[in-house]
Amino acid sequence: MKIYNTLTRRKEEFVPVVPGEAHIYACGPTVYNYIHIGNARPICVFDVLRRYLEYRGVKVTFVQNFTDIDDKIIRRANEEDSDYLTVSRKYIEEYEIDAKGLNVRPATVHPRATENIDEILSIVSALVEKGYAYPAANGDVYFRTKKDREYGKLSHQPLDDLMSGARIAVGEQKEDPLDFALWKGSKPGEPSWDSPWGKGRPGWHIECSAMARRYLGKTIDIHCGGQDLIFPHHENEIAQSECCNGVEFSHYWMHNGYININNKKMSKSLGNFFTVRDVAEKYGYEPIRYLMVSAHYRTPINYSEEVIEQCRASLGRLYNCRENLEFLMQHASSGEKEGEEAIRRTLRNYENKFVEAMEDDLNTADALSSLFDLAKEINTDLNADTAPSKKLCAFALELFGRLAGVLGLLYTKKESSADEEIEALIAARTKARKEKNWAEADRIRDELKARHVVLEDTPNGVKWKIAE
Ligand SMILES: [Zn+2]
């Protein structure tokens, strides 16, 4: 598989440290609020990366942290007259609801910053010992950026350019504006932990270096996150990890592109800020997931209500294909029919196209079009007229489901109680027609119509679907 590596700015063949395995670290959310539409993108696309590698038989260890101590969390706790633990626990639970809704599988490990303080302190101490970091009088410990000759290699920015944008904020005691805090001395009333430099708490960047090393080792295969994290977060992670461990931190760096809202940058001040929960309540979760995989992960995505409606309609076409197959299968005869081997070969070809797209830097956009092409082929080759065998239906269902599953799609169950009611109405209508009770049959037909149910009479009985 080829991966575009932000570090080298090239597409490179993916070669893991341990053959047949992939150690992946993804930066997770800071848990002080519901996740927004922009947060949904990395969690969906890197879930697809994991699913695809597993589909290829790779054993994936996927670590995604929760930043559960941070200025924003402390601020939120003060606003809510609560404490940081209550706030972070609440929003981890809310995150888990959204992630499940988006069909994002839980990571192999979801470590939390506050549960890794010892690992964090061990890295900070090592950096101080090696002269890459220094404690200041206020209890902060800073990374000495100028000592790291490779600093800037991920963001491809020369140190001088970075220098011109850097400032020392009030209260900081840095030697140099580019230095960044590894450890922050505690202010009165803030949560704190003991350290060799007095009471304090970890800076943001250090937690990822610590958790990646603890759960995945000193050198990992892929580090991923949103492109807004390249600088300074990921640049700083590299500096900390490589200066401490003396080996390369991550071989591949993958970054997803931005999401715009109605072609504008999403921001609270523009009033175009949407949480995943808000959108899911109106449209369901799956159209959001569909939107995220419908574009290549590095290209920008535009979110609007029209776009999400289109996603929902497109999903409906995929669901129809699967439901048609399930219906055919129920009534199909066993035993293979002549020519079915050729159809199987044709269908398998779409899997090859799907794989080809995914091998090219996880091109989910092209993979998704292969899935639609497959659906079209299935609809042409397997229908009431061609009356395929049970074996061919099962083959098509498995293939279609497996490829959709790599993208994490087609996971929403029909609401069964509503389904059962509709099926009972259809049975009652069939009975009424048999008994030539036309008035009753028409009454039921109108009731089904009011529920947007579209009926189709086939040689195998009545099929139904909800109109788009
Ligand atoms: Zn991180």
Side-chain angles (χ1 to χ4, degrees):
M1 176 186 193
K2 282 203 160 44
I3 288 177
Y4 180 86
N5 190 351
T6 309
L7 191 63
T8 57
R9 290 174 154 172
R10 278 198 309 262
K11 274 188 202 171
E12 295 173 350
E13 190 60 38
F14 175 59
V15 183
V17 176
V18 180
E21 293 188 15
H23 289 185
I24 305 176
Y25 187 92
C27 294
T30 300
V31 280
Y32 71 104
N33 206 342
Y34 292 92
I35 60 167
H36 58 70
I37 281 290
N39 302 134
R41 190 169 191 189
I43 64 171
C44 290
V45 299
F46 299 121
D47 179 67
V48 173
L49 171 69
R50 178 187 183 187
R51 285 168 186 266
Y52 178 68
L53 288 169
E54 287 179 351
Y55 159 88
R56 298 305 309 259
V58 176
K59 182 171 172 276
V60 180
T61 309
F62 193 93
V63 175
Q64 186 196 286
N65 68 306
F66 286 120
T67 299
D68 64 345
I69 182 73
D70 165 90
D71 288 338
K72 295 191 206 87
I73 296 170
I74 295 172
R75 211 177 303 135
R76 172 58 60 102
N78 291 338
E79 282 164 16
E80 293 183 357
D81 205 11
S82 169
D83 60 279
Y84 83 96
L85 264 182
T86 310
V87 169
S88 61
R89 282 191 186 142
K90 171 179 158 59
Y91 288 108
I92 286 172
E93 279 173 26
E94 300 296 353
Y95 167 87
E96 284 166 347
I97 292 170
D98 288 333
K100 189 162 183 260
L102 293 167
N103 201 24
V104 170
R105 288 163 50 207
T108 318
V109 195
H110 275 292
R112 304 177 187 190
T114 61
E115 292 170 353
N116 288 275
I117 300 291
D118 288 349
E119 187 78 8
I120 289 169
L121 286 174
S122 119
I123 295 181
V124 179
S125 298
L127 289 170
V128 171
E129 244 163 68
K130 291 182 174 188
Y132 284 108
Y134 57 94
N138 63 358
D140 291 354
V141 181
Y142 296 105
F143 186 86
R144 190 174 272 131
T145 305
K146 274 196 178 141
K147 193 172 158 62
D148 176 13
R149 283 160 195 271
E150 295 195 340
Y151 192 80
K153 70 177 177 183
L154 182 70
S155 44
H156 304 276
Q157 301 180 78
L159 219 51
D160 289 346
D161 286 8
L162 297 174
M163 282 295 293
S164 65
R167 298 278 179 276
I168 299 182
V170 179
E172 291 180 328
Q173 298 183 352
K174 298 175 180 178
E175 289 175 359
D176 187 283
L178 259 190
D179 295 352
F180 57 90
L182 301 170
W183 186 259
K184 295 179 174 179
S186 65
K187 300 189 182 84
E190 279 184 1
S192 64
W193 289 262
D194 288 327
S195 85
W197 316 282
K199 282 188 173 298
R201 61 185 168 93
W204 171 37
H205 316 300
I206 193 71
E207 65 175 86
C208 291
S209 285
M211 290 185 260
R213 186 174 82 172
R214 177 164 174 200
Y215 296 98
L216 297 169
K218 288 180 179 170
T219 297
I220 67 174
D221 292 306
I222 304 172
H223 196 310
C224 37
Q227 104 190 11
D228 53 322
L229 296 183
I230 296 174
F231 188 85
H233 184 54
H234 288 164
E235 196 73 73
N236 292 353
E237 282 188 37
I238 293 178
Q240 296 160 161
S241 293
E242 297 191 353
C243 292
C244 175
N245 302 326
V247 291
E248 190 175 5
F249 177 36
S250 178
H251 286 151
Y252 304 87
W253 288 84
M254 293 175 81
H255 292 100
N256 64 273
Y258 291 116
I259 291 194
N260 292 318
I261 309 289
N262 292 313
N263 296 310
K264 287 199 187 77
K265 196 171 182 254
M266 179 165 75
S267 83
K268 279 192 174 140
S269 58
L270 286 175
N272 63 357
F273 186 89
F274 293 96
T275 66
V276 166
R277 195 67 59 86
D278 290 339
V279 178
E281 274 167 8
K282 206 163 167 195
Y283 299 98
Y285 279 104
E286 196 170 356
I288 306 174
R289 171 135 194 150
Y290 183 96
L291 173 64
M292 301 307 163
V293 303
S294 66
H296 183 260
Y297 72 94
R298 285 192 288 120
T299 58
I301 283 185
N302 188 46
Y303 168 85
S304 68
E305 299 215 333
E306 291 81 12
V307 167
I308 210 87
E309 287 279 14
Q310 283 162 15
C311 290
R312 191 154 75 162
S314 303
L315 267 172
R317 281 159 55 205
L318 295 177
Y319 272 105
N320 276 344
C321 174
R322 189 172 77 181
E323 280 153 22
N324 286 343
L325 270 176
E326 285 168 347
F327 184 81
L328 273 176
M329 180 138 148
Q330 278 173 27
H331 303 277
S333 54
S334 49
E336 207 173 355
K337 291 173 69 177
E338 210 180 319
E340 290 197 341
E341 176 53 32
I343 296 177
R344 273 209 294 275
R345 268 201 304 277
T346 308
L347 298 184
R348 222 179 268 125
N349 237 345
Y350 291 93
E351 180 171 20
N352 297 338
K353 286 187 182 141
F354 180 95
V355 168
E356 211 176 286
M358 296 294 273
E359 287 287 300
D360 183 14
D361 191 29
L362 205 73
N363 192 337
T364 54
D366 286 359
L368 187 59
S369 1
S370 304
L371 190 66
F372 275 101
D373 292 343
L374 174 64
K376 216 168 137 195
E377 188 71 48
I378 289 173
N379 291 338
T380 309
D381 298 341
L382 287 79
N383 53 50
D385 295 333
T386 61
S389 71
K390 224 173 204 100
K391 195 176 160 196
L392 182 61
C393 291
F395 173 86
L397 256 179
E398 192 278 333
L399 177 64
F400 189 66
R402 189 153 45 87
L403 298 187
V406 171
L407 300 176
L409 295 176
L410 301 191
Y411 61 90
T412 308
K413 304 258 181 307
K414 265 196 187 175
E415 279 175 35
S416 58
S417 57
D419 276 13
E420 281 161 19
E421 278 176 39
I422 289 166
E423 267 147 29
L425 280 170
I426 292 171
R429 174 175 166 266
T430 308
K431 183 164 170 278
R433 281 161 60 118
K434 252 188 204 149
E435 292 165 356
K436 299 196 174 3
N437 184 350
W438 307 118
E440 175 66 0
D442 286 351
R443 188 194 66 76
I444 297 171
R445 191 198 55 206
D446 290 345
E447 188 175 340
L448 288 165
K449 212 170 159 189
R451 293 178 181 223
H452 306 286
V453 175
V454 181
L455 297 179
E456 189 191 340
D457 286 304
T458 79
N460 294 321
V462 180
K463 272 172 62 179
W464 65 274
K465 63 179 183 184
I466 303 291
E468 276 163 22

